Amino acid sequence: MNKKTLTKVSGDAGLDYKIHFPDGTRATIQNILSSIENRRRYLQNFHKASGLTCDCQTPGVPVRVGRRQIPSETYYLYPATHADRLRHKEDCPLRTADHQRPGPHEQGAETLDKTLESEAEESTDLVVHIEASGMYLTKMMEWMWSTSLLNARNPKYAPRDYDAVRKKLLQTAAAVRFTNNEKLADKLLIPQRFTKGKKEEINRTARAFAEQVAEQGPDRWGVIVAKVRTAQIQKKQATIAIAHTMLDLHISIDTATAPKPGDIIIARVCKRAGESGLTALEWAAFPVTEAWIPALSEHERTLLSALEERNASYVKPMPTTWQVNEDIRVPNCILRYHEQSIWMFIDETCDQANQPLKTQRKSWRWNTTQFSTLPELPS
């Protein structure tokens, strides 16, 4: 999996370009970004404001100011629209600005503060490689989930249902393409919710998808994202009944357990001659809680379910989208509690339990190697 290539700035190249503010103030990018104090001084009053431009081009290229609170509060500059990313000069550090934007996990946390809701659509497109395993599917699904902000829970908003999740994933899928430049949206099936009134339409869509991926060559395949209804296991094979559609999915379980009912499954599929249903070329399971938050282990499900029972606000960082610092361990959950963030960690091995946390944030830990039950949550 690759993100769009970032423009690397060598030395002080481009840092002398100036940002023009609506009040007439001008300052070099180098001066603005030189410290957290300078970022706050220059940018704080223009958070989400319009009228800022970068003079690397004439006329100036519009820029905006964003704010993040994880791992620390700071302000940053980014292009005003997706198209403006490439309008900056090659040596301008704002040409892509992805190195200054928060990752999807941070967007989720910021959404709880309602500070990045209008900026979520600025996420970088995703390019994925076809591999001989389901690992790239896991990475793609985690990216889609976090970019869609489905990894954040806020009790102030209406509870999610299947339709809401499906809509968000379809919107995000429009930004995903494969290395052969094919678009995921052109090869994707996320079944509609099944109702009697839409029975014929849903089945017609499923049949059309199956015909599209009928095995007639190496490129005849598609991607299905769906909820598991049932799983029948026989030896090293499993037949998955997909919710909301009549399609069955045949998967190999040589190196993984079969998905459980209620899990989300993503699979690259084909339809082989003489076989009913679809056959997975690669697949990955994506367990979720009742609130549609990914739970990547049973201990994690226990923690997230307990937080949901408390009606808590939190973000579930996704491992493949965690970009704060490679040396900082990915928290299992970031809890929003009394206007502060608490990083929550689950130690599932002795190595994890013995490893000191490098984060400076307030933290909570559950050592499952010593305690099988959930420790007391922050109160």
Side-chain angles (χ1 to χ4, degrees):
M1 178 185 73
N2 290 329
K3 286 194 172 182
K4 185 181 296 180
T5 302
L6 305 184
T7 301
K8 295 185 178 179
V9 181
S10 58
D12 294 331
L15 292 175
D16 288 332
Y17 293 131
K18 292 182 178 180
I19 300 298
H20 295 229
F21 295 89
D23 64 355
T25 302
R26 299 181 183 183
T28 64
I29 295 175
Q30 181 177 34
N31 193 22
I32 294 171
L33 303 182
S34 62
S35 67
I36 292 178
E37 290 73 23
N38 272 9
R39 288 175 180 245
R40 183 179 296 109
R41 171 190 167 194
Y42 285 105
L43 304 180
Q44 183 175 25
N45 293 336
F46 299 100
H47 179 220
K48 292 191 174 181
S50 59
L52 288 79
T53 59
C54 174
D55 70 0
C56 69
Q57 298 280 21
T58 303
V61 184
V63 296
R64 298 286 294 275
V65 174
R67 178 176 71 93
R68 70 184 181 199
Q69 289 185 310
I70 298 174
S72 61
E73 184 181 57
T74 189
Y75 293 84
Y76 57 92
L77 295 164
Y78 66 96
T81 68
H82 188 82
D84 287 331
R85 291 177 183 273
L86 299 181
R87 290 181 56 196
H88 291 270
K89 282 189 176 180
E90 288 285 342
D91 62 343
C92 179
L94 297 178
R95 180 170 172 81
T96 60
D98 288 326
H99 60 294
Q100 297 177 49
R101 290 185 56 76
H105 63 281
E106 294 171 345
Q107 289 178 344
E110 292 297 301
T111 296
L112 299 179
D113 295 330
K114 298 184 179 180
T115 58
L116 281 181
E117 290 173 328
S118 63
E119 301 164 21
E121 62 185 20
E122 298 296 334
S123 299
T124 305
D125 293 350
L126 177 71
V127 179
V128 295
H129 297 279
I130 302 300
E131 303 170 355
S133 72
M135 182 55 67
Y136 83 96
L137 292 173
T138 299
K139 294 178 181 178
M140 181 167 69
M141 198 64 172
E142 290 189 2
W143 185 88
M144 290 174 61
W145 217 267
S146 56
T147 301
S148 301
L149 304 180
L150 291 171
N151 63 329
R153 181 183 186 274
N154 190 336
K156 295 180 181 179
Y157 302 150
R160 294 192 184 109
D161 60 11
Y162 179 83
D163 292 331
V165 172
R166 179 178 182 270
K167 180 180 179 181
K168 285 181 175 291
L169 291 178
L170 286 173
Q171 291 172 342
T172 303
V176 181
R177 59 188 174 87
F178 298 96
T179 46
N180 61 3
N181 220 29
E182 289 183 300
K183 297 179 180 179
L184 173 62
D186 295 336
K187 287 182 166 289
L188 179 66
L189 173 66
I190 305 179
Q192 297 183 57
R193 181 189 296 276
F194 190 89
T195 62
K196 290 183 178 180
K198 293 185 177 181
K199 180 178 179 180
E200 291 301 322
E201 177 187 351
I202 292 172
N203 287 336
R204 185 166 57 250
T205 301
R207 286 194 297 270
F209 178 78
E211 292 173 3
Q212 175 186 337
V213 300
E215 191 176 45
Q216 297 176 6
D219 296 328
R220 301 290 288 184
W221 53 268
V223 176
I224 186 169
V225 176
K227 194 172 185 179
V228 176
R229 186 168 69 238
T230 61
Q232 296 181 349
I233 304 172
Q234 186 175 9
K235 295 183 179 180
K236 294 185 178 182
Q237 299 292 320
T239 299
I240 307 298
I242 300 298
H244 310 302
T245 182
M246 302 301 292
L247 289 174
D248 285 338
L249 178 64
H250 305 290
I251 65 173
S252 170
I253 54 173
D254 288 341
T255 58
T257 57
K260 301 178 180 64
D263 287 355
I264 302 298
I265 188 170
I266 178 171
R268 188 166 73 93
V269 300
C270 69
K271 190 177 190 313
R272 292 174 175 159
E275 292 187 0
S276 61
L278 302 170
T279 298
L281 301 171
E282 296 96 27
W283 66 275
F286 207 64
V288 294
T289 68
E290 292 294 324
W292 296 88
I293 304 295
L296 307 184
S297 72
E298 285 304 314
H299 290 119
E300 200 167 87
R301 180 184 291 275
T302 299
L303 171 60
L304 299 183
S305 297
L307 293 176
E308 289 166 14
E309 289 179 3
R310 289 193 171 199
N311 212 25
S313 295
Y314 65 85
V315 177
K316 169 68 187 83
M318 306 308 298
T320 60
T321 61
W322 182 257
Q323 300 169 357
V324 172
N325 188 318
E326 292 182 357
D327 294 329
I328 297 178
R329 179 177 157 192
V330 182
N332 296 83
C333 180
I334 299 176
L335 174 64
R336 294 292 298 167
Y337 186 72
H338 288 230
E339 303 303 322
Q340 64 177 330
S341 297
I342 299 176
W343 287 19
M344 310 187 82
F345 297 87
I346 301 176
D347 301 325
E348 300 198 84
T349 66
C350 291
D351 288 342
Q352 287 182 330
N354 294 329
Q355 181 181 9
L357 299 178
K358 297 182 180 180
T359 176
Q360 300 299 313
R361 308 291 294 189
K362 184 176 181 180
S363 60
W364 172 98
R365 296 182 79 166
W366 175 15
N367 184 351
T368 62
T369 64
Q370 293 184 2
F371 306 100
S372 59
T373 57
L374 186 71
E376 183 178 356
L377 296 172
S379 59

